[in-house]
PDB file of all heavy atoms in Angstrom:
ATOM      1  N   ILE A  49      27.888  64.683 101.291  1.00  0.00           N
ATOM      2  CA  ILE A  49      29.218  64.126 101.677  1.00  0.00           C
ATOM      3  C   ILE A  49      30.161  64.075 100.467  1.00  0.00           C
ATOM      4  O   ILE A  49      31.305  64.398 100.571  1.00  0.00           O
ATOM      5  CB  ILE A  49      29.069  62.679 102.304  1.00  0.00           C
ATOM      6  CG1 ILE A  49      28.330  62.878 103.665  1.00  0.00           C
ATOM      7  CG2 ILE A  49      30.365  61.985 102.517  1.00  0.00           C
ATOM      8  CD1 ILE A  49      27.909  61.527 104.183  1.00  0.00           C
ATOM      9  N   GLN A  50      29.554  63.603  99.342  1.00  0.00           N
ATOM     10  CA  GLN A  50      30.412  63.549  98.147  1.00  0.00           C
ATOM     11  C   GLN A  50      30.948  64.913  97.639  1.00  0.00           C
ATOM     12  O   GLN A  50      32.012  65.038  97.300  1.00  0.00           O
ATOM     13  CB  GLN A  50      29.592  62.973  97.006  1.00  0.00           C
ATOM     14  CG  GLN A  50      30.338  61.861  96.236  1.00  0.00           C
ATOM     15  CD  GLN A  50      29.419  60.950  95.591  1.00  0.00           C
ATOM     16  OE1 GLN A  50      28.280  61.222  95.115  1.00  0.00           O
ATOM     17  NE2 GLN A  50      29.728  59.622  95.614  1.00  0.00           N
ATOM     18  N   SER A  51      30.060  65.937  97.847  1.00  0.00           N
ATOM     19  CA  SER A  51      30.543  67.269  97.440  1.00  0.00           C
ATOM     20  C   SER A  51      31.286  67.933  98.572  1.00  0.00           C
ATOM     21  O   SER A  51      31.538  69.155  98.416  1.00  0.00           O
ATOM     22  CB  SER A  51      29.315  68.034  96.992  1.00  0.00           C
ATOM     23  OG  SER A  51      28.414  68.200  98.064  1.00  0.00           O
ATOM     24  N   GLN A  52      31.588  67.160  99.575  1.00  0.00           N
ATOM     25  CA  GLN A  52      32.440  67.634 100.679  1.00  0.00           C
ATOM     26  C   GLN A  52      31.824  68.803 101.409  1.00  0.00           C
ATOM     27  O   GLN A  52      32.605  69.619 102.034  1.00  0.00           O
ATOM     28  CB  GLN A  52      33.839  67.972 100.165  1.00  0.00           C
ATOM     29  CG  GLN A  52      34.495  66.869  99.617  1.00  0.00           C
ATOM     30  CD  GLN A  52      35.918  66.799 100.043  1.00  0.00           C
ATOM     31  OE1 GLN A  52      36.478  67.709 100.670  1.00  0.00           O
ATOM     32  NE2 GLN A  52      36.620  65.670  99.752  1.00  0.00           N
ATOM     33  N   VAL A  53      30.522  68.874 101.420  1.00  0.00           N
ATOM     34  CA  VAL A  53      29.972  69.948 102.326  1.00  0.00           C
ATOM     35  C   VAL A  53      29.851  69.308 103.793  1.00  0.00           C
ATOM     36  O   VAL A  53      30.031  70.030 104.752  1.00  0.00           O
ATOM     37  CB  VAL A  53      28.541  70.277 101.830  1.00  0.00           C
ATOM     38  CG1 VAL A  53      27.862  71.270 102.800  1.00  0.00           C
ATOM     39  CG2 VAL A  53      28.616  70.798 100.414  1.00  0.00           C
ATOM     40  N   LEU A  54      29.564  68.057 103.753  1.00  0.00           N
ATOM     41  CA  LEU A  54      29.601  67.391 105.086  1.00  0.00           C
ATOM     42  C   LEU A  54      30.721  66.387 105.043  1.00  0.00           C
ATOM     43  O   LEU A  54      31.219  65.905 104.086  1.00  0.00           O
ATOM     44  CB  LEU A  54      28.256  66.599 105.297  1.00  0.00           C
ATOM     45  CG  LEU A  54      26.957  67.406 105.616  1.00  0.00           C
ATOM     46  CD1 LEU A  54      25.890  66.454 105.723  1.00  0.00           C
ATOM     47  CD2 LEU A  54      27.149  68.329 106.716  1.00  0.00           C
ATOM     48  N   GLU A  55      31.266  66.075 106.245  1.00  0.00           N
ATOM     49  CA  GLU A  55      32.215  65.003 106.392  1.00  0.00           C
ATOM     50  C   GLU A  55      31.728  63.968 107.385  1.00  0.00           C
ATOM     51  O   GLU A  55      30.982  64.353 108.410  1.00  0.00           O
ATOM     52  CB  GLU A  55      33.578  65.565 106.775  1.00  0.00           C
ATOM     53  CG  GLU A  55      33.740  66.296 108.071  1.00  0.00           C
ATOM     54  CD  GLU A  55      35.055  66.807 108.259  1.00  0.00           C
ATOM     55  OE1 GLU A  55      35.992  66.273 107.640  1.00  0.00           O
ATOM     56  OE2 GLU A  55      35.218  67.768 109.023  1.00  0.00           O
ATOM     57  N   VAL A  56      32.115  62.783 107.177  1.00  0.00           N
ATOM     58  CA  VAL A  56      31.597  61.701 108.071  1.00  0.00           C
ATOM     59  C   VAL A  56      32.688  61.481 109.172  1.00  0.00           C
ATOM     60  O   VAL A  56      33.790  61.305 108.877  1.00  0.00           O
ATOM     61  CB  VAL A  56      31.346  60.432 107.248  1.00  0.00           C
ATOM     62  CG1 VAL A  56      30.620  59.469 108.140  1.00  0.00           C
ATOM     63  CG2 VAL A  56      30.676  60.697 106.028  1.00  0.00           C
ATOM     64  N   LEU A  57      32.157  61.367 110.378  1.00  0.00           N
ATOM     65  CA  LEU A  57      33.081  61.119 111.470  1.00  0.00           C
ATOM     66  C   LEU A  57      32.452  59.965 112.346  1.00  0.00           C
ATOM     67  O   LEU A  57      31.291  59.805 112.317  1.00  0.00           O
ATOM     68  CB  LEU A  57      33.365  62.327 112.265  1.00  0.00           C
ATOM     69  CG  LEU A  57      33.994  63.502 111.653  1.00  0.00           C
ATOM     70  CD1 LEU A  57      33.880  64.787 112.512  1.00  0.00           C
ATOM     71  CD2 LEU A  57      35.462  63.318 111.413  1.00  0.00           C
ATOM     72  N   LYS A  58      33.296  59.360 113.090  1.00  0.00           N
ATOM     73  CA  LYS A  58      32.794  58.376 114.079  1.00  0.00           C
ATOM     74  C   LYS A  58      32.513  59.116 115.377  1.00  0.00           C
ATOM     75  O   LYS A  58      33.375  59.733 115.935  1.00  0.00           O
ATOM     76  CB  LYS A  58      33.808  57.311 114.208  1.00  0.00           C
ATOM     77  CG  LYS A  58      33.110  55.919 114.480  1.00  0.00           C
ATOM     78  CD  LYS A  58      34.240  54.830 114.703  1.00  0.00           C
ATOM     79  CE  LYS A  58      34.076  53.767 113.653  1.00  0.00           C
ATOM     80  NZ  LYS A  58      35.206  52.813 113.700  1.00  0.00           N
ATOM     81  N   GLY A  59      31.276  59.006 115.849  1.00  0.00           N
ATOM     82  CA  GLY A  59      30.886  59.696 117.124  1.00  0.00           C
ATOM     83  C   GLY A  59      31.389  58.875 118.322  1.00  0.00           C
ATOM     84  O   GLY A  59      32.104  57.882 118.214  1.00  0.00           O
ATOM     85  N   ASN A  60      31.030  59.464 119.431  1.00  0.00           N
ATOM     86  CA  ASN A  60      31.543  58.856 120.692  1.00  0.00           C
ATOM     87  C   ASN A  60      31.010  57.440 120.901  1.00  0.00           C
ATOM     88  O   ASN A  60      31.734  56.598 121.353  1.00  0.00           O
ATOM     89  CB  ASN A  60      31.037  59.690 121.901  1.00  0.00           C
ATOM     90  CG  ASN A  60      31.722  61.033 121.950  1.00  0.00           C
ATOM     91  OD1 ASN A  60      32.938  61.104 121.403  1.00  0.00           O
ATOM     92  ND2 ASN A  60      31.106  61.988 122.575  1.00  0.00           N
ATOM     93  N   SER A  61      29.755  57.259 120.661  1.00  0.00           N
ATOM     94  CA  SER A  61      29.146  55.952 120.956  1.00  0.00           C
ATOM     95  C   SER A  61      29.304  55.003 119.779  1.00  0.00           C
ATOM     96  O   SER A  61      28.589  54.014 119.634  1.00  0.00           O
ATOM     97  CB  SER A  61      27.717  56.105 121.327  1.00  0.00           C
ATOM     98  OG  SER A  61      27.079  56.961 120.346  1.00  0.00           O
ATOM     99  N   GLY A  62      30.127  55.340 118.850  1.00  0.00           N
ATOM    100  CA  GLY A  62      30.385  54.481 117.733  1.00  0.00           C
ATOM    101  C   GLY A  62      29.426  54.744 116.463  1.00  0.00           C
ATOM    102  O   GLY A  62      29.590  54.135 115.431  1.00  0.00           O
ATOM    103  N   THR A  63      28.482  55.687 116.749  1.00  0.00           N
ATOM    104  CA  THR A  63      27.535  56.003 115.662  1.00  0.00           C
ATOM    105  C   THR A  63      28.176  56.970 114.683  1.00  0.00           C
ATOM    106  O   THR A  63      29.255  57.599 115.113  1.00  0.00           O
ATOM    107  CB  THR A  63      26.302  56.588 116.217  1.00  0.00           C
ATOM    108  OG1 THR A  63      26.637  57.733 117.041  1.00  0.00           O
ATOM    109  CG2 THR A  63      25.510  55.652 116.962  1.00  0.00           C
ATOM    110  N   LEU A  64      27.700  57.081 113.567  1.00  0.00           N
ATOM    111  CA  LEU A  64      28.239  58.058 112.541  1.00  0.00           C
ATOM    112  C   LEU A  64      27.676  59.419 112.825  1.00  0.00           C
ATOM    113  O   LEU A  64      26.508  59.531 113.161  1.00  0.00           O
ATOM    114  CB  LEU A  64      27.828  57.575 111.178  1.00  0.00           C
ATOM    115  CG  LEU A  64      28.570  56.377 110.613  1.00  0.00           C
ATOM    116  CD1 LEU A  64      28.055  55.988 109.210  1.00  0.00           C
ATOM    117  CD2 LEU A  64      30.047  56.533 110.616  1.00  0.00           C
ATOM    118  N   VAL A  65      28.442  60.429 112.688  1.00  0.00           N
ATOM    119  CA  VAL A  65      28.099  61.783 112.754  1.00  0.00           C
ATOM    120  C   VAL A  65      28.523  62.542 111.507  1.00  0.00           C
ATOM    121  O   VAL A  65      29.597  62.255 110.908  1.00  0.00           O
ATOM    122  CB  VAL A  65      28.552  62.473 114.076  1.00  0.00           C
ATOM    123  CG1 VAL A  65      27.987  61.992 115.304  1.00  0.00           C
ATOM    124  CG2 VAL A  65      30.140  62.526 114.094  1.00  0.00           C
ATOM    125  N   TYR A  66      27.711  63.509 111.101  1.00  0.00           N
ATOM    126  CA  TYR A  66      28.096  64.362 109.925  1.00  0.00           C
ATOM    127  C   TYR A  66      28.464  65.725 110.442  1.00  0.00           C
ATOM    128  O   TYR A  66      27.663  66.304 111.264  1.00  0.00           O
ATOM    129  CB  TYR A  66      26.928  64.370 108.989  1.00  0.00           C
ATOM    130  CG  TYR A  66      26.304  63.072 108.698  1.00  0.00           C
ATOM    131  CD1 TYR A  66      25.062  62.657 109.290  1.00  0.00           C
ATOM    132  CD2 TYR A  66      26.923  62.134 107.872  1.00  0.00           C
ATOM    133  CE1 TYR A  66      24.597  61.415 109.016  1.00  0.00           C
ATOM    134  CE2 TYR A  66      26.377  60.851 107.577  1.00  0.00           C
ATOM    135  CZ  TYR A  66      25.166  60.526 108.293  1.00  0.00           C
ATOM    136  OH  TYR A  66      24.692  59.320 108.042  1.00  0.00           O
ATOM    137  N   ARG A  67      29.596  66.202 109.917  1.00  0.00           N
ATOM    138  CA  ARG A  67      29.916  67.583 110.355  1.00  0.00           C
ATOM    139  C   ARG A  67      29.942  68.446 109.203  1.00  0.00           C
ATOM    140  O   ARG A  67      30.348  68.043 108.099  1.00  0.00           O
ATOM    141  CB  ARG A  67      31.323  67.517 111.076  1.00  0.00           C
ATOM    142  CG  ARG A  67      31.590  68.781 111.816  1.00  0.00           C
ATOM    143  CD  ARG A  67      32.673  68.642 112.723  1.00  0.00           C
ATOM    144  NE  ARG A  67      33.936  68.401 111.982  1.00  0.00           N
ATOM    145  CZ  ARG A  67      35.148  68.143 112.552  1.00  0.00           C
ATOM    146  NH1 ARG A  67      35.208  68.009 113.893  1.00  0.00           N
ATOM    147  NH2 ARG A  67      36.200  67.965 111.782  1.00  0.00           N
ATOM    148  N   TYR A  68      29.547  69.715 109.431  1.00  0.00           N
ATOM    149  CA  TYR A  68      29.579  70.735 108.287  1.00  0.00           C
ATOM    150  C   TYR A  68      30.998  71.187 108.109  1.00  0.00           C
ATOM    151  O   TYR A  68      31.689  71.437 108.992  1.00  0.00           O
ATOM    152  CB  TYR A  68      28.635  71.895 108.688  1.00  0.00           C
ATOM    153  CG  TYR A  68      28.697  72.981 107.642  1.00  0.00           C
ATOM    154  CD1 TYR A  68      28.119  72.709 106.404  1.00  0.00           C
ATOM    155  CD2 TYR A  68      29.290  74.178 107.901  1.00  0.00           C
ATOM    156  CE1 TYR A  68      28.118  73.736 105.448  1.00  0.00           C
ATOM    157  CE2 TYR A  68      29.345  75.143 106.930  1.00  0.00           C
ATOM    158  CZ  TYR A  68      28.710  74.980 105.749  1.00  0.00           C
ATOM    159  OH  TYR A  68      28.833  76.015 104.733  1.00  0.00           O
ATOM    160  N   LYS A  69      31.349  71.276 106.777  1.00  0.00           N
ATOM    161  CA  LYS A  69      32.726  71.738 106.487  1.00  0.00           C
ATOM    162  C   LYS A  69      32.598  73.100 105.894  1.00  0.00           C
ATOM    163  O   LYS A  69      31.864  73.275 104.964  1.00  0.00           O
ATOM    164  CB  LYS A  69      33.387  70.748 105.492  1.00  0.00           C
ATOM    165  CG  LYS A  69      34.501  69.955 106.096  1.00  0.00           C
ATOM    166  CD  LYS A  69      35.056  68.911 105.098  1.00  0.00           C
ATOM    167  CE  LYS A  69      36.561  68.974 105.091  1.00  0.00           C
ATOM    168  NZ  LYS A  69      36.969  68.079 104.036  1.00  0.00           N
ATOM    169  N   ASP A  70      33.421  73.978 106.451  1.00  0.00           N
ATOM    170  CA  ASP A  70      33.362  75.345 106.034  1.00  0.00           C
ATOM    171  C   ASP A  70      33.854  75.400 104.568  1.00  0.00           C
ATOM    172  O   ASP A  70      34.996  74.888 104.292  1.00  0.00           O
ATOM    173  CB  ASP A  70      34.389  76.216 106.895  1.00  0.00           C
ATOM    174  CG  ASP A  70      34.072  77.612 106.697  1.00  0.00           C
ATOM    175  OD1 ASP A  70      33.367  77.992 105.715  1.00  0.00           O
ATOM    176  OD2 ASP A  70      34.655  78.462 107.441  1.00  0.00           O
ATOM    177  N   PRO A  71      33.158  75.939 103.638  1.00  0.00           N
ATOM    178  CA  PRO A  71      33.614  75.945 102.218  1.00  0.00           C
ATOM    179  C   PRO A  71      34.952  76.690 102.057  1.00  0.00           C
ATOM    180  O   PRO A  71      35.731  76.377 101.208  1.00  0.00           O
ATOM    181  CB  PRO A  71      32.488  76.697 101.513  1.00  0.00           C
ATOM    182  CG  PRO A  71      31.606  77.244 102.539  1.00  0.00           C
ATOM    183  CD  PRO A  71      31.825  76.634 103.846  1.00  0.00           C
ATOM    184  N   ALA A  72      35.200  77.726 102.932  1.00  0.00           N
ATOM    185  CA  ALA A  72      36.505  78.470 102.855  1.00  0.00           C
ATOM    186  C   ALA A  72      37.620  77.600 103.141  1.00  0.00           C
ATOM    187  O   ALA A  72      38.636  77.622 102.533  1.00  0.00           O
ATOM    188  CB  ALA A  72      36.496  79.625 103.843  1.00  0.00           C
ATOM    189  N   LYS A  73      37.333  76.640 104.068  1.00  0.00           N
ATOM    190  CA  LYS A  73      38.422  75.728 104.562  1.00  0.00           C
ATOM    191  C   LYS A  73      38.514  74.456 103.547  1.00  0.00           C
ATOM    192  O   LYS A  73      39.446  73.721 103.633  1.00  0.00           O
ATOM    193  CB  LYS A  73      38.246  75.192 105.919  1.00  0.00           C
ATOM    194  CG  LYS A  73      38.801  76.139 106.957  1.00  0.00           C
ATOM    195  CD  LYS A  73      38.806  75.276 108.313  1.00  0.00           C
ATOM    196  CE  LYS A  73      38.916  76.229 109.448  1.00  0.00           C
ATOM    197  NZ  LYS A  73      38.471  75.497 110.662  1.00  0.00           N
ATOM    198  N   LYS A  74      37.412  74.331 102.883  1.00  0.00           N
ATOM    199  CA  LYS A  74      37.266  73.087 102.018  1.00  0.00           C
ATOM    200  C   LYS A  74      38.449  72.984 101.123  1.00  0.00           C
ATOM    201  O   LYS A  74      38.843  73.995 100.451  1.00  0.00           O
ATOM    202  CB  LYS A  74      35.936  73.206 101.304  1.00  0.00           C
ATOM    203  CG  LYS A  74      35.511  71.869 100.867  1.00  0.00           C
ATOM    204  CD  LYS A  74      34.042  71.951 100.300  1.00  0.00           C
ATOM    205  CE  LYS A  74      34.092  72.713  98.992  1.00  0.00           C
ATOM    206  NZ  LYS A  74      32.766  72.808  98.384  1.00  0.00           N
ATOM    207  N   SER A  75      38.962  71.800 101.013  1.00  0.00           N
ATOM    208  CA  SER A  75      40.095  71.690 100.078  1.00  0.00           C
ATOM    209  C   SER A  75      39.577  71.976  98.647  1.00  0.00           C
ATOM    210  O   SER A  75      38.623  71.596  98.228  1.00  0.00           O
ATOM    211  CB  SER A  75      40.604  70.206 100.114  1.00  0.00           C
ATOM    212  OG  SER A  75      40.115  69.589 101.240  1.00  0.00           O
ATOM    213  N   THR A  76      40.508  72.690  98.000  1.00  0.00           N
ATOM    214  CA  THR A  76      40.194  73.177  96.678  1.00  0.00           C
ATOM    215  C   THR A  76      40.206  71.979  95.668  1.00  0.00           C
ATOM    216  O   THR A  76      39.435  71.922  94.728  1.00  0.00           O
ATOM    217  CB  THR A  76      41.165  74.222  96.216  1.00  0.00           C
ATOM    218  OG1 THR A  76      42.512  73.793  96.583  1.00  0.00           O
ATOM    219  CG2 THR A  76      40.881  75.569  96.817  1.00  0.00           C
TER     220      THR A  76
END
Side-chain angles (χ1 to χ4, degrees):
Chain A
I49 292 169
Q50 224 154 36
S51 60
Q52 297 225 353
V53 178
L54 288 182
E55 57 182 340
V56 191
L57 297 165
K58 212 182 241 175
N60 288 337
S61 48
T63 55
L64 290 178
V65 292
Y66 312 103
R67 195 168 64 185
Y68 176 70
K69 248 176 136 184
D70 197 350
K73 272 192 199 163
K74 200 172 72 178
S75 341
T76 41

